[in-house]
Each structure stands twice: as structure tokens, then as C-alpha cells.
Amino acid sequence: MSRHDPDKSLLAKAEVLTEALPYMQRYAGQIFVVKYGGHAMGDPEAARDFAEDVVLLKAVGINPVVVHGGGPQIGAMLKKLGVESSFVDGLRVTDAETAKVAEMVLSGAINKEIVGWIGEAGGKALGISGKDGGFVVAEKVTRTTRDPDSAIERAVDLGFVGEPKAVDRSVLDTISNAGMIPVIAPIGVGADGHTYNINADTMAGAVAAALGAARLFLLTDVAGVLDKGGELLTDLDPARIAALRADGTVTGGMIPKLETCVKAVEGGVDAAVILDGRVPHVMLVEIFTARGAGTLVRA
């Protein structure tokens, strides 16, 4: 084969790069916040793909910020240690003992594992939690639940479960400007000095809003938001989301994810995307092709 008769597969690769070019130019210098969680976290091959994607984003001039979860890993460690857990409306009731285990798993094992994967892929990452540098001040979550028999609402104490009250972006700017990728464990400290466990989706949304991110990506275990016929809904806005909730199309764990997306776009994020983290390189397909993937939410 001569130099003037290149392999068709090489031409196809070149075409992929030329298709990606306008998107690279559009997003250069922008911030992308990625919430990494679900079963993809437990699969070494998927983890390597994710790390490569994040390193590639940094290499083409985008500033990725990773926020990770770890619910299943916390559950496994609690079981191992013989600590009982209870849940209210899908949120783990976090007593002092559970809070210590959650911080150990999130800020320790998982956080440093992701930092290691990014390092193996040729990037530089710095793992932090909301406690580092006073980055995230948390406040205690208050929840009510309705008694199914009497329909009376009562307050529920979830213990040391918090939500972000204030986010100091200067900590992340310092890390990103030094050429590193921040990897954030969803732990914060309250004004009362207590450590609070924060839902990873909520943490990612608050960080994205504080940074004025161009994109918030929620990597999960489903293709995106599906209609009643099982077809993917590719573009949504807050009004359409409210209608989908009202008619029962959106239920269960998708509700808090969409609430996070709506809060983020109403807080200044350009768009939020729910993606299937089990699909190899799904973020790159979403960012760098005209076709995209998953469900995109705009204000």
C-alpha cells in the first residue's frame, strides 16, 4: 500500500477527528463537571475507559472536574463491619458510626482509586473532599415523610446527611490552573463542625452551578430518560420534566437526578446530561459528535 492509498480505517479515524474539531474549539477553556457512579465504577475496564476520557478532555483544553459516588461500596463496608443501615425515601440514615465509614470509603478508598486510574491514563489528578480548604460548607438535610395510613407528614432525622450550602470555587480553580484534574468525594463540613455525607448527584450539581460549568454529566446505569414506550427522550427542559413527573413517566431514582439537572441549569449551567456510564466512551460520543447520547436538559 502506497502513501497515496491510505487504509480506509485510518481515513475513518481522521474523519472522526475532523468531526470533533468544532466541538473541541467550542469547549476549549470551559468547565465540565462529571458525576461518576453506578456499576461502571466497579468494572476495571469501564473505569479505565472513563479515566482515558477525562484525560483526553484535559488534553484538548477542557477543564474536567470529577465528583464520585460510592453508595454500594459504603453498603458493602458497613455490612463487613456489622453496622446496620436504614433508609428513608432512598436516603441512607447516617448516624455517627455510619458517617465515619462513609468518609473512610469515599475520601479514602474510592477517591484515591479514581486518582490512580487517571494517573495510569497519563493525567494528573488531585483527590479532595468538601472538607479540604473549606471547599464545601454543608447543612443538615431536613426531610418529611407521609404516613401511608394516616397521610400525616412527619419530620425525619437522617442524621449526618447534608447538602451543599456554600461552595468555594477557588479551591478547584487552583487545582485546574495547575494542570490537574480535581476528583471530589461528596463529603462536607457543617458550620457546627460535623462531617456530613452528601448525595453525589446533589454535590455535582452544586459544584457545576458554583463553577458556571458548560456541562454537567450524570453517568448512571440507564440510557437516559425514557418515555412510556421505552424510547429515549433526548432533549428536555424544566417545564417538560414537570409534565413527565405529573403523568408518571418519570419515577423512582430518575426524579432526584432530574431535580439535580433542573437546579443546575437554573443555577447557570449551560446544560446537564444524563448518560449511560456502562457504554464505553459515552462522554466522548456526547461531547464530540453531532448525534450525541443520553438526555440533555437545558433551561
Side-chain angles (χ1 to χ4, degrees):
M1 185 184 292
S2 74
R3 285 180 54 81
H4 302 290
D5 184 24
D7 185 289
K8 282 189 169 62
S9 67
L10 295 178
L11 284 173
K13 286 178 181 175
E15 282 173 12
V16 167
L17 288 171
T18 56
E19 184 184 354
L21 179 60
Y23 300 100
M24 291 180 189
Q25 291 168 326
R26 182 195 301 175
Y27 296 126
Q30 304 270 17
I31 297 168
F32 285 6
V33 175
V34 185
K35 186 268 177 166
Y36 182 50
H39 290 98
M41 277 180 74
D43 178 353
E45 197 174 328
R48 277 191 287 274
D49 286 346
F50 171 76
E52 287 169 0
D53 293 354
V54 170
V55 171
L56 188 146
L57 293 182
K58 189 73 175 174
V60 299
I62 294 166
N63 290 311
V65 174
V66 177
V67 179
H68 64 82
Q73 292 90 333
I74 293 169
M77 182 59 77
L78 289 169
K79 194 174 179 183
K80 208 175 195 177
L81 297 172
V83 179
E84 291 291 322
S85 272
S86 60
F87 290 83
V88 175
D89 296 337
L91 288 172
R92 189 191 303 276
V93 177
T94 306
D95 59 16
E97 187 66 22
T98 304
K100 281 181 188 170
V101 173
E103 184 170 20
M104 177 177 73
V105 172
L106 292 167
S107 299
I110 296 173
N111 189 271
K112 299 309 172 236
E113 194 171 32
I114 296 170
V115 167
W117 289 330
I118 291 171
E120 280 178 30
K124 281 187 177 179
L126 185 67
I128 62 170
S129 79
K131 292 172 83 171
D132 293 298
F135 159 50
V136 175
V137 176
E139 62 183 357
K140 187 180 172 78
V141 164
T142 55
R143 284 283 187 276
T144 60
T145 189
R146 192 182 294 273
D147 186 285
D149 298 323
S150 64
I152 294 171
E153 285 207 348
R154 60 182 178 85
V156 178
D157 187 355
L158 293 168
F160 297 102
V161 175
E163 54 194 5
K165 185 183 179 187
V167 178
D168 180 0
R169 67 169 291 170
S170 68
V171 176
L172 298 184
D173 289 338
T174 301
I175 295 168
S176 289
N177 292 341
M180 292 186 283
I181 297 161
V183 178
I184 302 163
I187 298 284
V189 64
D192 55 10
H194 288 304
T195 298
Y196 286 95
N197 189 15
I198 300 168
N199 174 277
D201 288 341
T202 306
M203 184 80 149
V207 167
L211 292 171
R215 286 286 184 277
L216 166 64
F217 297 104
L218 299 182
L219 297 185
T220 183
D221 289 336
V222 292
V225 182
L226 307 178
D227 65 17
K228 286 185 173 172
E231 294 296 312
L232 181 69
L233 298 168
T234 55
D235 293 274
L236 295 175
D237 59 33
R240 179 98 170 92
I241 289 166
L244 291 170
R245 283 187 66 175
D247 72 9
T249 301
V250 173
T251 57
M254 189 54 75
I255 291 174
K257 289 190 187 305
L258 284 171
E259 284 175 348
T260 294
C261 292
V262 169
K263 206 168 179 182
V265 297
E266 289 179 343
V269 176
D270 289 352
V273 191
I274 297 172
L275 290 170
D276 190 344
R278 300 166 302 179
V279 176
H281 305 297
V282 70
M283 264 201 308
L284 302 188
V285 175
E286 169 60 31
I287 297 163
F288 296 129
T289 70
R291 292 173 296 283
T295 300
L296 184 133
V297 179
R298 291 186 192 273

